[in-house]
Amino acid sequence: MSTRHILLGLLARGPSHGYDLKRRHDERFPQARPLAYGQVYTTLQRLVRDGLAEVDATEADSGPERTVYRSTDEGARELAEWAGGIAPPAPFVTNEIFAKLVVSILADGDPAAYLRAQRAAHMDRMRELTALKTAPGADLSTVLSADYALNHLDADLRWMNTTAARLTHLTAEVDPA
């Protein structure tokens, strides 16, 4: 996920300071890793440096001074280009589960036990996500984020089942000795 573009998208609603941007990010993308304040402010500084955002005001109510940022016309153009662009499917799949499976075979481990344990971890996470999305008052962002994650976990589970059925052949291919 592009933090730069997400912050530009949040600024599209109007000027805001870093604290509010972080809070709104965490609300709008509930299943994403929460942004650190340092990441927000570093990204805002880069947006200003690149002419995509600018300082709108500096406020000092009853607390520390807060800088308010707003998107520039150039920032709005870049955001529109990014948001309208098609995300290309990844040319290579980096799958940590597959890598660990192969290493388990190479290191004389128990790849079948690894797959069972990984499947159990996926099932636990799927139960957590299902509870999250079906909780009373769950907002649509939470439901959609959970659905996205559940579909990916389901795809992993299907892959694990297929791989478990082919484990003997994979072991012979990876370690023909």
Side-chain angles (χ1 to χ4, degrees), residues 50-154:
D50 297 343
L52 304 174
E54 60 190 15
V55 173
D56 188 61
T58 302
E59 300 174 345
D61 294 336
S62 61
E65 196 172 81
R66 291 189 178 178
T67 303
V68 177
Y69 298 88
R70 71 177 182 86
S71 181
T72 62
D73 290 342
E74 183 61 30
R77 278 190 293 279
E78 179 169 318
L79 178 63
E81 185 177 314
W82 175 79
I86 301 301
F92 303 102
V93 176
T94 303
N95 185 330
E96 185 176 356
I97 299 169
F98 179 68
K100 287 183 176 189
L101 187 65
V102 169
V103 167
S104 178
I105 293 168
L106 292 171
D108 294 326
D110 187 347
Y114 170 74
L115 281 175
R116 284 190 302 274
Q118 187 64 57
R119 185 179 191 288
H122 270 56
M123 295 298 294
D124 287 345
R125 182 63 180 145
M126 289 176 88
R127 281 188 282 279
E128 290 169 7
L129 289 165
T130 300
L132 184 68
K133 76 178 232 168
T134 58
D139 61 37
L140 187 55
S141 292
T142 298
V143 171
L144 292 174
S145 294
D147 283 342
Y148 184 85
L150 283 164
N151 279 295
H152 281 266
L153 291 167
D154 183 59

Side-chain angles (χ1 to χ4, degrees), residues 5-54:
H5 294 105
I6 296 300
L7 290 181
L8 279 173
L10 293 171
L11 285 172
R13 289 294 191 145
S16 193
H17 54 78
Y19 176 82
D20 279 341
L21 292 169
K22 186 236 184 301
R23 182 185 48 76
R24 288 183 9 230
H25 168 276
D26 295 349
E27 288 171 357
R28 292 288 155 239
F29 304 99
Q31 295 302 312
R33 178 177 291 133
L35 288 180
Y37 286 105
Q39 184 179 12
V40 171
Y41 289 106
T42 299
T43 303
L44 286 168
Q45 289 169 355
R46 289 185 186 132
L47 290 170
V48 169
R49 177 198 67 199
D50 297 343
L52 304 174
E54 60 190 15

